[in-house]
Amino acid sequence: MSDRPIHPIQIAAARSGLSPHVIRVWERRYGAIKPKRGPSQRRLYSDKEIERLALLSEATRAGHPISSIANLNASELQRLLNKSKGARQAAIVRVTDEGAVFRGECLQAVRRLDAKALEQSLQGALVTLGHQGFLQVVLAPLSEEIGTRWREGTITAAHEHFFSAAAKVFLGRVSKQFAAESGAPNLISCTPLGQLHELGAFMVGAAATNLGWRVAYLGAALPAAEIAGAALQNQAAVVALSIIYPEDDPDLPEELLRLRHALPNETSIIVGGRAAPAYANSLKRIRALMVTSLADCCDVLDRLRREHRRQAGAKPRA
C-alpha cells in the first residue's frame, strides 16, 4: 500500500464512503488526516490515508464519535472495530434467541386461535425488540413458518387466516405512530394479480413507514394497470410487491411486464416473498430489485430513501 499522496479528494471520498465535505471537516476540526497539497494547492491522499478514512468512517457508523477516535492509529482503530463487531454479534444472538421465544408463544396462540394471547405476545416482542427487530426476527419468520405449516397440513387455512388478520390489525395500529416527514418519498405496497397472500406486502409497508417513507398500502391481487395508476397518482418512487404463492402462475410474468411498461423509468420496483425466486427471469426483465428477506428489503429501502433525498436536494429551487 502506497504512502505517496497521489489521489484527489474525490477518489478519497469514493473509496472511504465519506463525502468530500466530511473529509474536510474531519481534517480541519479534528486533525484526523493531514493530506499533502499538490502544486495547485489541491489536497492529495495516499492509499494508507484513504484506508484510515475508511476505518474512521466504519467506526463512526458503529457509534463512536469522531472527536474521540480522530487521533487513534490504524491498529487502535482496527481493535476498536473488532470489539464493536463482537458486541454487535452478541446482541444479534440475544435478539435472535428472544425472537425464537416470542415466535414460539405466537405459534401456540395461533394453534389455539387465542386472539388475546397472540396480541400479548406480539406486543411483548415489539416492546422488547423494537419496531424493526419485531418485524425482522419475529413477525416475518413467523409468517413464513405459519405458511409452511399450512402447506404441510400441520395447521389449517383457518389458522393461517386468523394469524394474518390479527397481524394486520396489530401492524396497522402500531404504524399510525410514525408520521412521515415533509418531503418523504412515496411508496406503493401490494401484491400483483393472482397473489392473494398480502401479509408480506403489509409488513413491507409497516417497515417502510418506520424507515421514513410515506406508504400507500393497496391490498392484494391488483392488476398492473391499477398498481401503475396509483403509483402515478401518488408520484411513488417505489412500488413494492410481495409474491408468496403460487410459484407457477403462467400469467404473472406478463402482468409484471405490463406494470414495468406502465411505470416511469425512474420508479423502482422491489419484489420479495417466498415465491419471488421462481420468477427471477421475469423480475430481471423488468429491472426489479429482488430482496431475499425483510432485513434485505429494509437495507434497499434505506438506500433508495437516501438517494431520493440527495436528488431532491440537488434540484434547483424555483
Side-chain angles (χ1 to χ4, degrees):
M1 189 172 295
S2 173
D3 288 325
R4 292 177 55 206
I6 57 175
H7 304 293
I9 195 168
Q10 290 79 10
I11 298 296
R15 287 172 52 182
S16 67
L18 298 166
S19 70
H21 172 72
V22 168
I23 293 174
R24 294 188 193 101
V25 169
W26 286 6
E27 173 196 340
R28 289 195 303 266
R29 189 174 301 172
Y30 303 106
I33 204 83
K34 297 179 175 63
K36 299 294 188 295
R37 299 273 181 166
S40 62
Q41 293 304 302
R42 294 175 61 197
R43 292 172 172 84
L44 295 175
Y45 301 82
S46 68
D47 291 330
K48 284 189 175 181
E49 286 171 328
I50 292 174
E51 182 176 356
R52 172 176 173 74
L53 287 170
L55 287 172
L56 288 168
S57 175
E58 187 176 353
T60 57
R61 290 198 304 273
H64 301 285
I66 185 62
S67 57
S68 67
I69 62 173
N71 296 315
L72 298 181
N73 61 37
S75 297
E76 291 169 331
L77 284 171
Q78 192 60 63
R79 282 197 296 272
L80 186 68
L81 285 170
N82 290 341
K83 185 176 179 181
S84 296
K85 288 176 181 176
R88 286 200 302 275
Q89 289 168 353
I92 289 170
V93 169
R94 288 196 298 274
V95 168
T96 302
D97 287 344
E98 290 176 332
V101 172
F102 285 117
R103 292 196 304 272
E105 291 179 357
C106 290
L107 184 58
Q108 290 305 312
V110 169
R111 285 185 178 280
R112 300 192 305 270
L113 299 178
D114 188 335
K116 183 177 180 180
L118 178 58
E119 179 166 357
Q120 288 175 342
S121 294
L122 293 174
Q123 183 64 38
L126 178 65
V127 171
T128 303
L129 303 176
H131 195 271
Q132 290 296 329
F134 163 69
L135 287 171
Q136 294 180 27
V137 303
V138 176
L139 198 58
L142 179 61
S143 174
E144 185 169 342
E145 181 175 359
I146 286 176
T148 298
R149 288 174 180 265
W150 166 66
R151 280 186 291 272
E152 291 174 347
T154 57
I155 62 174
T156 69
H159 292 97
E160 194 268 342
H161 290 178
F162 166 80
F163 168 72
S164 295
K168 278 183 61 182
V169 170
F170 185 83
L171 278 178
R173 188 166 62 246
V174 168
S175 297
K176 288 180 180 178
Q177 63 187 287
F178 299 108
E181 64 182 23
S182 176
N186 292 317
L187 178 144
I188 297 291
S189 179
C190 61
T191 77
L193 196 64
Q195 294 288 318
L196 301 177
H197 295 264
E198 59 179 316
L199 183 56
F202 202 86
M203 282 192 287
V204 168
T209 300
N210 180 246
L211 292 172
W213 288 80
R214 195 182 305 275
V215 174
Y217 175 69
L218 304 184
L222 265 73
E226 294 190 18
I227 298 172
L232 290 168
Q233 179 180 337
N234 225 342
Q235 296 182 318
V238 168
V239 171
L241 303 176
S242 176
I243 300 178
I244 302 294
Y245 180 85
E247 300 178 357
D248 55 354
D249 183 348
D251 299 323
L252 185 55
E254 190 62 33
E255 192 70 11
L256 293 171
L257 280 175
R258 291 191 193 101
L259 176 62
R260 177 71 276 174
H261 291 155
L263 289 173
N265 286 331
E266 62 269 20
T267 302
S268 299
I269 301 175
I270 298 177
V271 181
R274 173 189 289 271
Y279 302 94
N281 290 336
S282 297
L283 297 179
K284 185 176 181 180
R285 289 181 66 189
I286 67 169
R287 307 187 306 281
L289 302 169
M290 190 167 74
V291 294
T292 58
S293 65
L294 187 59
D296 187 19
C297 183
C298 288
D299 288 342
V300 171
L301 286 173
D302 217 23
R303 174 174 60 81
L304 292 176
R305 184 187 57 80
R306 290 195 300 269
E307 290 177 2
H308 181 274
R309 175 169 285 183
R310 284 197 298 269
Q311 292 167 2
K315 291 179 181 177
R317 294 184 179 177

